[in-house]
Amino acid sequence: MGRLSLSFVLALVIMYVVTFLVYASVAVSTGLQPPEGASPEVFLLSVLVVKIGIAAAFVLIFYIARQALVGRWLLYAFGWWLMFVIAEVGQAIGPDYSWTEAIAGIVSETIYCPLAALVTDWLLGPTVPASA
């Protein structure tokens, strides 16, 4: 259970920090603002809650399917990345979400998906017994 928990925490930190850094860089260079009516603190908290859910699903799916996924972390990351990219494009097509936000999201996902998958594969790889 220790490696599973550590994998979740590290995936969450990677996902949140990368997202924060990318969006902060975009905000500084383009003037991108948090959604209207949300303070920066509330916005960052909402992003954290979303990333908790994503990290939990990311790690648990890998853990459950690890016999098939161990060593295939880049393929696993690609599947998640593709899902996120499609979602970003879908949001950008709709209202209240800009292409700048979508591109920032795609950049952050391009960085954090493989990093989180690598760490998860490393921690939950073949040395972990089935009852981890």
Side-chain angles (χ1 to χ4, degrees):
M1 193 56 125
R3 286 180 178 233
L4 185 61
S5 298
L6 181 59
S7 183
F8 164 73
V9 168
L10 290 177
L12 174 60
V13 167
I14 289 166
M15 291 174 181
Y16 188 73
V17 169
V18 168
T19 300
F20 176 81
L21 293 174
V22 169
Y23 276 87
S25 298
V26 169
V28 166
S29 62
T30 68
L32 184 65
Q33 297 292 314
E36 194 164 326
S39 70
E41 297 81 14
V42 169
F43 178 68
L44 289 173
L45 180 60
S46 72
V47 171
L48 178 61
V49 171
V50 169
K51 295 304 179 192
I52 288 170
I54 291 170
F58 189 92
V59 170
L60 287 174
I61 290 170
F62 188 94
Y63 179 73
I64 291 166
R66 70 188 174 281
Q67 296 301 335
L69 294 173
V70 166
R72 295 185 175 121
W73 60 270
L74 199 53
L75 179 63
Y76 185 67
F78 177 74
W80 279 88
W81 176 84
L82 183 61
M83 177 186 65
F84 287 135
V85 168
I86 292 168
E88 294 286 356
V89 170
Q91 281 189 288
I93 291 170
D96 302 324
Y97 199 77
S98 70
W99 282 102
T100 302
E101 291 168 300
I103 291 168
I106 292 168
V107 168
S108 67
E109 291 141 4
T110 300
I111 297 167
Y112 77 63
C113 282
L115 285 175
L118 178 61
V119 167
T120 300
D121 182 69
W122 175 62
L123 286 169
L124 302 179
T127 60
V128 176
S131 62

